Amino acid sequence: MSYAGRLTLVNSVLNTLHNYWGSIFLIPKSIIKRIEAVYRNFFWDRGTEYNRAPLVAWHTICTSKKEEGLGVRNAELGNAASVGKLVNWIYTKADRIWVLWVDHVYLKGQDWNSYEPPPDSNWNWRNICKTRKLMAMGYVGDQWTLYVKGYTVKAGYQLLQGQHPPVQWYKEVWDSWFLPKHSIIGWLIKHEALNLRDKLHRLNICESNMCVICEKETETHQHLFTRCEYSRSVVLLLDTWLSSALNGNAQGLSNLMNICRMIQVTVWYTLWMERNKCRLYLAIRRPEILVKEIKSFICMRVKMMMQVQWPVSNEHSFWLRLSDTV
């Protein structure tokens, strides 16, 4: 299973298993760390135990894609945001038996903003009061005013996580036109996190730091994907193909920028796969064969994303003609 497939399972399955208990009380930090360890180990190594070093720090992965992460929910912050819903019920005096019970047993008419729990009170109640302090900046009086009208777990999570400046390369890697597994490799390239020979040599894992493909320069991210003779040959052939098809006229092609970015991400992924095959089998395909494979994929993907219908528009007609040149 690719990184993209494992990321989907982490977000849709693993990240929801503790949601029930996490919406009732703050889970102890030791349990939270164990939960996140399962997420991390499964994402990087398909298992629940630690077998290899992560390529990117987990706190980075838990930021949004625009902020250089993968959008995985931080378990501790997500837990606090879920408990924040209970805090909001008390603020709004929701029509719930639990709220009436809390007011009768603990608050007894006291102001919720200034309330301090007694030392001998219930552990769960003290944690709810602790969460109230974390959420305090989102309230004006008794009203939640941050991000949306009315409290939601998503808004509480955004408050706790804070905002970080977006990265400039976000659109180069993430787009609905790209295959997820291509985007993940592009994301790793932008972080310079792939296990290339320059890194492995520094860690004394491999003897040589020279490029697996050309064996002329040190194998770095910049070399493999931009400076290597093999990579440049692939890019040049694709550039010639697209330029000759456009013939200096790109008017009317509204999706051209998306397609150019998709070609770039696809080239990165294909070169990475070809590099690994070269290392394993000590052989590499000619650039022309690799380019033909990329062109075929691009044309197929474009047809699918543009949902070509009849009668064919000028833009659809262009990409249909382009596929005939593969």
Coordinates of all heavy atoms in Angstrom, one line a residue, residues 231-248 260 263 267 288 291 295 318 322 325:
S231 N 17.2 12.8 -16.0 CA 16.0 13.6 -15.6 C 15.8 14.7 -16.6 O 14.7 15.0 -17.1 CB 16.2 14.1 -14.2 OG 16.4 13.1 -13.3
R232 N 16.9 15.4 -17.0 CA 16.8 16.5 -17.9 C 16.3 16.0 -19.3 O 15.6 16.7 -20.0 CB 18.1 17.2 -18.1 CG 18.5 18.1 -16.9 CD 19.7 18.9 -17.1 NE 20.9 18.1 -17.2 CZ 22.1 18.6 -17.5 NH1 22.2 19.9 -17.7 NH2 23.1 17.8 -17.6
S233 N 16.7 14.8 -19.7 CA 16.3 14.2 -21.0 C 14.8 14.0 -21.0 O 14.1 14.3 -21.9 CB 17.0 12.9 -21.2 OG 18.4 13.1 -21.4
V234 N 14.3 13.4 -19.8 CA 12.9 13.2 -19.7 C 12.1 14.5 -19.8 O 11.1 14.6 -20.5 CB 12.6 12.4 -18.4 CG1 11.0 12.4 -18.2 CG2 13.2 11.0 -18.4
V235 N 12.5 15.5 -19.1 CA 11.8 16.8 -19.0 C 11.9 17.4 -20.4 O 10.9 18.0 -20.9 CB 12.4 17.7 -18.0 CG1 11.8 19.1 -18.1 CG2 12.2 17.1 -16.6
L236 N 13.0 17.4 -21.1 CA 13.1 18.0 -22.4 C 12.2 17.3 -23.4 O 11.6 18.0 -24.2 CB 14.6 17.9 -22.9 CG 14.9 18.5 -24.2 CD1 14.6 20.0 -24.2 CD2 16.4 18.3 -24.6
L237 N 12.1 16.0 -23.4 CA 11.2 15.3 -24.3 C 9.7 15.7 -24.1 O 9.0 15.9 -25.0 CB 11.4 13.8 -24.2 CG 12.7 13.3 -24.8 CD1 12.9 11.8 -24.4 CD2 12.7 13.4 -26.3
L238 N 9.4 15.8 -22.8 CA 8.0 16.2 -22.5 C 7.7 17.6 -22.9 O 6.6 18.0 -23.4 CB 7.7 16.0 -21.0 CG 7.5 14.6 -20.5 CD1 7.5 14.5 -19.0 CD2 6.2 14.0 -21.1
D239 N 8.7 18.5 -22.7 CA 8.5 19.9 -23.0 C 8.4 20.1 -24.5 O 7.6 20.8 -25.0 CB 9.7 20.7 -22.5 CG 9.6 22.2 -22.8 OD1 8.6 22.8 -22.3 OD2 10.5 22.8 -23.5
T240 N 9.2 19.3 -25.3 CA 9.1 19.4 -26.7 C 7.7 18.9 -27.2 O 7.1 19.4 -28.1 CB 10.2 18.5 -27.4 OG1 11.4 19.0 -26.9 CG2 10.1 18.6 -28.9
W241 N 7.2 17.8 -26.6 CA 5.9 17.2 -26.9 C 4.8 18.2 -26.7 O 4.0 18.5 -27.6 CB 5.7 16.0 -26.1 CG 4.3 15.4 -26.1 CD1 3.6 14.9 -27.2 CD2 3.4 15.3 -25.0 NE1 2.4 14.5 -26.9 CE2 2.2 14.7 -25.5 CE3 3.5 15.7 -23.7 CZ2 1.1 14.5 -24.7 CZ3 2.4 15.4 -22.9 CH2 1.2 14.8 -23.4
L242 N 4.8 18.9 -25.5 CA 3.7 19.8 -25.2 C 3.8 21.1 -26.0 O 2.8 21.6 -26.5 CB 3.8 20.1 -23.7 CG 2.5 20.9 -23.1 CD1 1.2 20.1 -23.4 CD2 2.7 21.1 -21.6
S243 N 5.0 21.6 -26.2 CA 5.2 22.8 -27.0 C 4.8 22.6 -28.4 O 4.1 23.5 -29.0 CB 6.7 23.2 -26.9 OG 7.1 23.5 -25.6
S244 N 5.1 21.5 -29.0 CA 4.7 21.3 -30.4 C 3.2 21.1 -30.6 O 2.6 21.5 -31.6 CB 5.4 20.0 -31.0 OG 5.1 18.9 -30.2
A245 N 2.6 20.5 -29.5 CA 1.2 20.4 -29.6 C 0.5 21.7 -29.4 O -0.5 22.0 -30.1 CB 0.7 19.4 -28.5
L246 N 1.0 22.6 -28.5 CA 0.4 23.9 -28.4 C 0.7 24.8 -29.6 O -0.2 25.6 -29.9 CB 1.0 24.6 -27.1 CG 0.5 24.0 -25.8 CD1 1.3 24.6 -24.6 CD2 -1.0 24.2 -25.5
N247 N 1.9 24.6 -30.1 CA 2.2 25.4 -31.3 C 2.1 26.9 -31.1 O 1.6 27.7 -31.9 CB 1.4 25.0 -32.5 CG 2.0 25.5 -33.8 OD1 3.2 25.8 -33.9 ND2 1.1 25.6 -34.9
G248 N 2.5 27.4 -29.9 CA 2.4 28.8 -29.5 C 1.1 29.3 -29.2 O 0.9 30.5 -29.1
C260 N 0.1 21.3 -16.5 CA 1.5 21.5 -16.4 C 2.0 21.0 -15.0 O 3.1 20.4 -14.9 CB 1.9 22.9 -16.7 SG 1.7 23.4 -18.4
I263 N 1.9 17.3 -14.8 CA 3.1 16.7 -15.5 C 4.3 16.7 -14.6 O 5.0 15.7 -14.5 CB 3.3 17.4 -16.9 CG1 2.2 17.2 -17.9 CG2 4.7 17.0 -17.5 CD1 2.3 18.0 -19.1
V267 N 6.2 13.4 -13.3 CA 7.6 13.2 -13.6 C 8.4 12.9 -12.3 O 9.2 12.0 -12.3 CB 8.2 14.4 -14.3 CG1 9.7 14.4 -14.4 CG2 7.6 14.5 -15.7
E288 N 13.0 7.8 -23.6 CA 11.8 7.8 -24.5 C 10.7 6.9 -24.0 O 9.5 7.2 -24.2 CB 12.3 7.3 -25.9 CG 13.2 8.3 -26.6 CD 14.7 8.2 -26.2 OE1 14.9 7.3 -25.3 OE2 15.5 9.0 -26.6
V291 N 9.0 8.5 -21.1 CA 8.2 9.7 -21.5 C 6.9 9.2 -22.1 O 5.8 9.8 -21.9 CB 9.0 10.6 -22.5 CG1 8.1 11.5 -23.2 CG2 10.1 11.3 -21.8
K295 N 3.3 10.4 -20.9 CA 2.3 11.0 -21.8 C 1.0 10.3 -21.9 O -0.1 10.9 -21.8 CB 2.9 11.1 -23.2 CG 4.1 12.1 -23.4 CD 4.4 12.4 -24.8 CE 5.0 11.2 -25.5 NZ 5.4 11.5 -26.9
F318 N -8.6 19.6 -28.2 CA -7.1 19.7 -28.2 C -6.5 18.5 -27.5 O -5.6 17.9 -28.0 CB -6.7 21.0 -27.5 CG -5.3 21.1 -27.2 CD1 -4.3 21.4 -28.2 CD2 -4.8 20.8 -25.9 CE1 -3.0 21.5 -27.9 CE2 -3.4 20.8 -25.6 CZ -2.5 21.2 -26.6
L322 N -4.1 15.6 -28.8 CA -2.8 15.4 -28.1 C -2.6 13.9 -27.8 O -1.5 13.4 -27.9 CB -2.8 16.3 -26.9 CG -1.4 16.4 -26.2 CD1 -0.4 17.1 -27.2 CD2 -1.5 17.2 -24.9
T325 N -1.0 11.7 -30.3 CA 0.4 11.8 -30.6 C 1.3 11.0 -29.7 O 2.5 11.1 -29.8 CB 0.9 13.3 -30.5 OG1 0.7 13.8 -29.1 CG2 0.0 14.2 -31.4

